[in-house]
Every structure is written in structure tokens, then in C-alpha cells.
Amino acid sequence: MIALLTRDLRLAVRAGGGFGLGLAFFLIVVTLVPFSVGPENALLSEIAPGILWLGALLACLLSLDRIFALDWEDGSLDLLATSPVPMEALVSIKALAHWLTTGLPLIVATPVFALLLSLPQAGYVPLVLSLFLGTPALSVIGTFGAALTVGIKRGGLLLSLLVLPLYVPTLIFGAEMARRGALGLDMKTAMMMQAGISFGVIALLPFASAAVLRVNLR
Amino acid sequence: MELSVQDLSVTRGGVPVLEGVTFCIASGEALILRGPNGIGKTTLLRTVAGLQPPLRGHIGLEREAMAYAAHADGIKSTLSVRENLGFWADVFATGDIAPALEAFHLTALADRVAGGLSAGQKRRLGLARMVVTGRPVWVLDEPTVSLDTEAVALFAQAVRAHLAGGGLALMATHIDLGLSEARVLEMGTFKAKAPDPDDFDGAFL
């Protein structure tokens, strides 16, 4: 299992691996927002948590179809399915690798990007915390979507349509947590909900992902 | 160890393609499946390897005993030959990849990026994976595609070494593999009958 994780990370950072794709997209969204809403610091700092969350979510979405598609195309998914690695572990490792190559860089870069949107100083810690709690859920749900659409040519559109509704709760509570934090309000409820969603999907969805992957490999 | 398959029926896309497939491979034996394109050789091998459930029938061994090699070799073009093979050795928790590299004359290419290999070299790398799985039953689908005669001989040698160690091999091919001692099973005799046209479900297949 560790071998699988190191292989996926190694593939991600090698040429054409797609590492940094989400990060670059995130940067583009965040730098373009001030141009589109106008140079008003007050307005920008008000919408900053929501924009940052939306940017992170879309950046995450961008790399989802790569989770299984590449392994499917070169046949290694079939070979992995016949290997001693249980399917549930396989999808969990895939989700973890996706989070490490997409979610984690976004979290690390967010404080810098938040500066571009003049997020109030009090908002930095809650924003990073909310992303830290929320992005694992995005990766796990996305892995489920990728498992559903594996083997479909140009399945990216279908994948987005399937996954976006499932992302809504995470977005709502994540952005709410970051917004309340920025305003200095109590954010405990949103934080608990966010953590609950993340832990829930991490515990349950790998079984669903493994089941649909088995069906799709037939 | 013995792989006995009894009265196996397999389906592709819901349509039965082969019915009543029965064979038995003992330790140290190889069986070659032959038949025209589309008869269902690949489907049968995928079923035996545990990638899809059979419609009917019984496969004598657990899927944990099988090592499967498909048409695609599952090679990552940005990793080196050593990294590709080492990954599978780690997944199957077998240690050394040097004998596998040696068996398919890949030692000199070990640090080459797999994307730069020729089709035949990639195939050899894909077959070297079977050696590192350490599993007793090799299920091979068209193993010698894009191999030259020299590499086919290497492959035959690797299969013989595997059989000599008590392993089994089940192969689908329509090319001569250089394994004259292997038994041949014609798939044509197991072809499934077309579904009854009056069958409501059958009309949609």
C-alpha cells in the first residue's frame, strides 16, 4: 500500500503528472477575482473566504478524472485489482494521493492567495483550518465519482455533474466556517459539521468506491 | 496444486460467450487456449483471474493464487524499468527484482525510462512482472504479441522455469509460443448458443 502511495506521488511530480495543475488554476481564479469585482478592499475582504473556498473546490475538481483514468488506460488498474491490495485500500490510497498532490498544496498556498483578496487578519487561521478539515472530503468524494466514471471516454463532464452536488455541503460549511472566522464570530457549529462530513465520507465512501470500481472493471 | 475449472460459463456485456468450459491443470503443466477472435478467450481469462464473476460453474482456486497479464502491460512511461518492476514487487511483497530483469534480458535497460522502450521491450517488462508476483498460476492473455523470435524463446524459458518450480500457466494465443509440451484446448467447442430471440431480455442484448 505504501508502494502504491509512493508510486502515485512519484508519478504526480514527474513530467506530465499534473502536480501543480490545481494550484495554477487556483492562482488564476484568485488573481482574476479582484479584476472582475473591482478594486474595493472592503468588498474583496468580505467575499474572500467564499472565493477562496470556491477556487479550492474547482481546482480539486479539475484533477479528479486523472485519479483512475490513467491507470485504466495503461491497464494497471486491472493488474492492481488482481493484486493482494484490497480494493477498499486501493481507493483510499488513491484518495490520499490526490489529497497530498492537490489538497495539501492548496492549503499551503492559501494564506498567500488570501493576501491578494485582502482577507482580514483574523480570518487566516479559520480559513486554513476549514480547508484542512474540508479538502479530504473533496478528495474522497471525488475518488468515488472517478470510480463511477472510470472507463467512460471523456467522462470528465459526467464526473463533474455527479460530484458537484455532493460537494455542496462541504462548500457550505467550509465557507461558513471561514467567513465566521474572518468576522470573529463563533464558528464551532460549522467546524463540527465540516469535520463530521469529512470523517463520515472517509469512513464510508471507500466501500462504495471499491464496489463501483469492481463493477466497472468487469 | 491443481487448477480445476468445471462447467464454467462466462459473459461479455451480459451476453454468454462460452458455456461448459471444463479443464484441469496440474502443477507443472501449461494449457494453451486457442480459438478465433471474439470467441471469448480474454473473457474466460478475466473470469479465471477473478476480475469478473462467472455466470455459472466453478473455479477450483482462489483469485489470490492467480497472476494476470492482460493485453496492456500497466507500464508507467515516466518511471524507469526498475521503478516499474520494483513497484509490483512491493505490491506483491516479493523482494528481489534482479532475477526477473535477468530472465527477460532487461538488466541493461533497468535505469531507462519505460516510455522510451520499444513495444517488444515493454512487453518483456510486462512479462517480467509475472515473475515478481510470486504467484503459482500465471494467467496470460496473448503474451507474445510484439515479441521477436528471440524474446519468444526467452518467454518460453521463463514459463518452463515457472512450471519447473511447481507453477501452472494458462495462456490464450493464436501464435506458436515455442512451448511444444503444453496442452492445447480449442475454445470453439464451448461456444455459447445465441440467446433465444423470443426471450424478452435477450432482445436487448
Side-chain angles (χ1 to χ4, degrees):
Chain A
M1 276 161 68
I2 291 168
L4 184 61
L5 183 65
T6 42
R7 181 193 74 147
D8 275 8
L9 295 180
R10 201 180 270 164
L11 284 172
V13 295
R14 294 259 165 107
F19 180 80
L21 177 74
L23 207 56
F25 179 80
F26 194 31
L27 175 70
I28 291 167
V29 170
V30 170
T31 45
L32 287 184
V33 164
F35 291 118
S36 64
V37 300
E40 277 181 68
N41 272 354
L43 179 62
L44 272 179
S45 65
E46 199 178 317
I47 61 170
I51 294 292
L52 287 164
W53 249 98
L54 189 62
L57 187 145
L58 292 176
C60 211
L61 194 66
L62 200 62
S63 51
L64 285 183
D65 62 339
R66 301 176 64 92
I67 295 180
F68 291 118
L70 299 179
D71 277 351
W72 161 265
E73 277 162 20
D74 65 18
S76 34
L77 201 55
D78 275 348
L79 305 180
L80 280 169
T82 57
S83 79
V85 181
M87 201 67 104
E88 286 79 8
L90 172 70
V91 295
S92 303
I93 293 290
K94 285 280 178 189
L96 178 62
H98 180 261
W99 183 74
L100 287 174
T101 53
T102 310
L104 198 58
L106 289 182
I107 296 173
V108 174
T110 295
V112 184
F113 293 168
L115 202 63
L116 295 173
L117 295 176
S118 59
L119 184 76
Q121 208 171 0
Y124 281 79
V125 173
L127 176 67
V128 170
L129 193 61
S130 71
L131 283 171
F132 196 74
L133 285 175
T135 45
L138 299 183
S139 288
V140 173
I141 296 170
T143 307
F144 173 63
L148 270 175
T149 53
V150 74
I152 300 176
K153 291 263 183 294
R154 308 274 176 275
L157 173 66
L158 187 60
L159 173 61
S160 312
L161 288 175
L162 285 170
V163 159
L164 273 179
L166 301 175
Y167 272 2
V168 169
T170 314
L171 178 64
I172 290 174
F173 290 113
E176 176 69 2
M177 189 180 155
R179 187 185 68 84
R180 288 181 151 263
L183 294 174
L185 300 171
D186 176 38
M187 55 175 194
K188 208 166 148 200
T189 314
M191 189 164 86
M192 305 264 252
M193 290 300 289
Q194 180 70 293
I197 291 169
S198 281
F199 287 129
V201 297
I202 291 170
L204 297 175
L205 264 188
F207 295 100
S209 310
V212 294
L213 203 52
R214 275 194 202 102
V215 171
N216 270 339
L217 284 182
R218 272 179 198 172
Chain B
M1 178 170 281
E2 172 183 90
L3 171 65
S4 92
V5 166
Q6 269 162 18
D7 194 28
L8 194 70
S9 296
V10 299
T11 59
R12 186 174 54 223
V15 185
V17 286
L18 291 169
E19 281 178 340
V21 180
T22 303
F23 58 81
C24 185
I25 316 175
S27 200
E29 271 189 341
L31 181 70
I32 294 174
L33 306 177
R34 264 185 219 279
N37 293 137
I39 190 86
K41 297 188 294 289
T42 298
T43 313
L44 177 64
L45 292 182
R46 288 179 69 88
T47 311
V48 171
L51 281 168
Q52 61 179 66
L55 184 65
R56 250 193 317 279
H58 178 71
I59 299 164
L61 284 173
E62 291 297 309
R63 53 183 291 178
E64 278 72 29
M66 320 281 182
Y68 175 63
H71 292 271
D73 291 312
I75 292 169
K76 294 292 175 191
S77 56
T78 50
L79 299 181
S80 73
V81 169
R82 191 189 301 281
E83 284 168 334
N84 266 300
L85 206 53
F87 164 67
W88 291 110
D90 288 344
V91 164
F92 285 89
T94 54
D96 198 9
I97 62 164
L101 287 174
E102 192 57 47
F104 285 93
H105 290 192
L106 289 166
T107 315
L109 302 169
D111 294 310
R112 194 88 75 81
V113 171
L117 299 181
S118 76
Q121 288 168 333
K122 277 185 188 159
R123 191 74 227 188
R124 265 151 60 196
L125 176 55
L127 292 170
R129 191 184 63 84
M130 301 304 279
V131 178
V132 302
T133 59
R135 289 191 164 177
V137 183
W138 285 8
V139 180
L140 302 158
D141 197 355
E142 303 279 4
T144 53
V145 168
S146 70
L147 291 183
D148 58 14
T149 43
E150 198 186 330
V152 171
L154 278 182
F155 165 72
Q157 208 179 325
V159 171
R160 285 204 183 97
H162 175 65
L163 298 180
L168 291 70
L170 176 64
M171 294 170 275
T173 186
H174 38 244
I175 313 168
D176 184 34
L177 294 178
L179 285 163
S180 47
E181 71 272 31
R183 279 189 295 141
V184 174
L185 188 67
E186 284 295 338
M187 286 288 96
T189 49
F190 301 114
K191 194 173 193 307
K193 287 186 287 293
D196 189 356
D198 291 336
D199 180 10
F200 180 79
D201 290 335
F204 289 92
L205 293 175

